[in-house]
Amino acid sequence: MPLNAVMVVDKPAGWTSHDVVAKVRRIVGERSVGHLGTLDPLATGVLPLVLGRMTRLCQFYTGAEKTYEGTIRLGFATDTYDADGEPVSEPQAVKITLEQVIAAAAPLLGPIQQVPPPFSAKKVQGVPAYKLARRKQEVELQPVEVEVKEFTICSLEGDMLEFRCRVSSGTYVRSLAHELGQKLGIGAHLASLRRTAVGEFAIEQAHTLDYIGQAAAQDRLDDLLVHPRRVLPHIPSVTATEEDVGRIRHGRTVNLPEMSRSPWVKVFAGQAELICLARRMAGTLFHPKVVLI
């Protein structure tokens, strides 16, 4: 039977997001698996996966807000803006205070123009920037408008500072670390990063790959899945009648009077089977735009 579900993985360090997807495909025996937001290999934490027909929900998460915590090393920058890269300058002595770091971080808060790292998937004339950077070719990336909703400097010990941030989709935390180093005049790079939330999915819901493998072997994968009613919580839910389920199955509009003011609605058959996301066409008529049955 196909597995149509959402599962949150706690990605280990050293793995690409694609590695995690491939591993989960093998564990659960479901070929159709996608993720809701790439994590760099260095990073750990929340990587929500959509399985089976739930992959059709990816379009609703392209702008999902993300939350991180991590460490930044001061004193020198790297070519990748993180600890996996090569230093681009000699290390400098770090003789600054926490107050100075907090003051330097303040301009990075809010809507900002951010230049993506040269080692990133952003394309330059159709070629991913990281491929050009690996060939030692000059990479010129244009600034992108992003929003840093929170950038809290928690502590500073020696050349290491701890931080927490909440950012819009498309924000590179590596770039935040690099820009902070530039503002301080001593260079900096991202030393470690842990993602604690993507949209409504939090680290408390995340499971390690080992634990997922054990659950699959014990036939209790259902215990690890996110309940469909908790997916896309900003979209209201309605339970369909048998007649409406039949109409949705054939792609026909349904009348949902109680949802007359909602642009979108999640339609369930029973309490736990999400069958479609429907869009309001006119008045109380909704058309099934994303059908999951």
Side-chain angles (χ1 to χ4, degrees):
M1 290 289 291
L3 180 59
N4 305 312
V6 178
M7 176 190 297
V8 185
V9 176
D10 187 346
K11 189 189 87 66
W15 289 56
T16 67
S17 299
H18 180 75
D19 291 338
V20 173
V21 167
K23 179 71 171 180
V24 170
R25 280 196 187 113
R26 293 193 295 271
I27 290 174
V28 305
E30 172 59 56
R31 291 185 62 187
S32 185
V33 180
H35 64 74
L36 304 178
T38 302
L39 266 179
D40 288 339
L42 172 140
T44 67
V46 173
L47 184 67
L49 301 186
V50 280
L51 295 80
R53 295 192 183 103
M54 286 293 197
T55 54
R56 298 172 190 174
L57 300 183
C58 287
Q59 60 187 289
F60 294 95
Y61 288 93
T62 54
E65 180 180 285
K66 299 172 177 69
T67 306
Y68 300 89
E69 58 186 31
T71 58
I72 294 172
R73 185 177 181 186
L74 305 175
F76 66 95
T78 70
D79 55 1
T80 60
Y81 297 0
D82 65 16
D84 287 339
E86 295 295 324
V88 296
S89 61
E90 291 296 320
Q92 298 187 47
V94 177
K95 298 178 180 178
I96 56 173
T97 65
L98 178 61
E99 289 71 23
Q100 287 175 306
V101 177
I102 292 171
L108 300 175
L109 194 62
I112 61 170
Q113 293 289 320
Q114 184 185 72
V115 179
F119 283 84
S120 69
K122 291 287 185 182
K123 292 189 176 179
V124 179
Q125 297 181 342
V127 180
Y130 68 85
K131 291 188 176 181
L132 298 174
R134 284 174 182 167
R135 297 175 198 152
K136 305 299 183 182
Q137 295 182 22
E138 188 173 344
V139 178
E140 289 190 16
L141 290 165
Q142 297 303 309
V144 177
E145 184 168 317
V146 298
E147 184 176 3
V148 180
K149 302 179 182 181
E150 177 191 355
F151 189 22
T152 301
I153 307 301
C154 304
S155 66
L156 172 64
E157 291 189 20
D159 62 355
M160 300 293 290
L161 65 86
E162 294 186 357
F163 72 94
R164 182 175 64 251
C165 67
R166 184 165 50 89
V167 300
S168 66
S169 180
T171 305
Y172 283 89
V173 182
R174 283 185 286 151
S175 288
L176 272 184
H178 183 79
E179 290 159 7
L180 181 62
Q182 288 182 319
K183 290 187 178 298
L184 290 168
I186 57 173
H189 62 275
L190 188 65
S192 68
L193 187 67
R194 183 161 178 78
R195 189 157 70 188
T196 56
V198 175
E200 66 267 27
F201 307 111
I203 194 66
E204 292 77 17
Q205 299 167 278
H207 308 285
T208 66
L209 291 171
D210 285 345
Y211 190 75
I212 293 169
Q214 293 169 14
Q218 296 167 9
D219 198 25
R220 53 180 184 84
L221 269 177
D222 286 352
D223 297 342
L224 279 54
L225 307 179
V226 178
H227 195 286
R229 295 262 178 179
R230 299 181 66 183
V231 173
L232 297 169
H234 61 285
I235 300 177
S237 301
V238 64
T239 303
T241 64
E242 287 188 20
E243 180 183 352
D244 283 342
V245 171
R247 294 179 67 87
I248 289 168
R249 195 182 298 274
H250 293 95
R252 298 167 64 187
T253 57
V254 290
N255 186 33
L256 303 171
E258 68 272 40
M259 296 294 168
S260 61
R261 296 187 179 183
S262 302
W264 286 90
V265 63
K266 295 178 295 192
V267 184
F268 285 81
Q271 285 299 306
E273 185 185 1
L274 179 60
I275 61 172
C276 85
L277 274 89
R279 191 172 191 175
R280 187 164 67 88
M281 306 303 292
T284 61
L285 288 179
F286 285 78
H287 183 72
K289 287 289 187 179
V290 182
V291 179
L292 304 171
I293 55 174

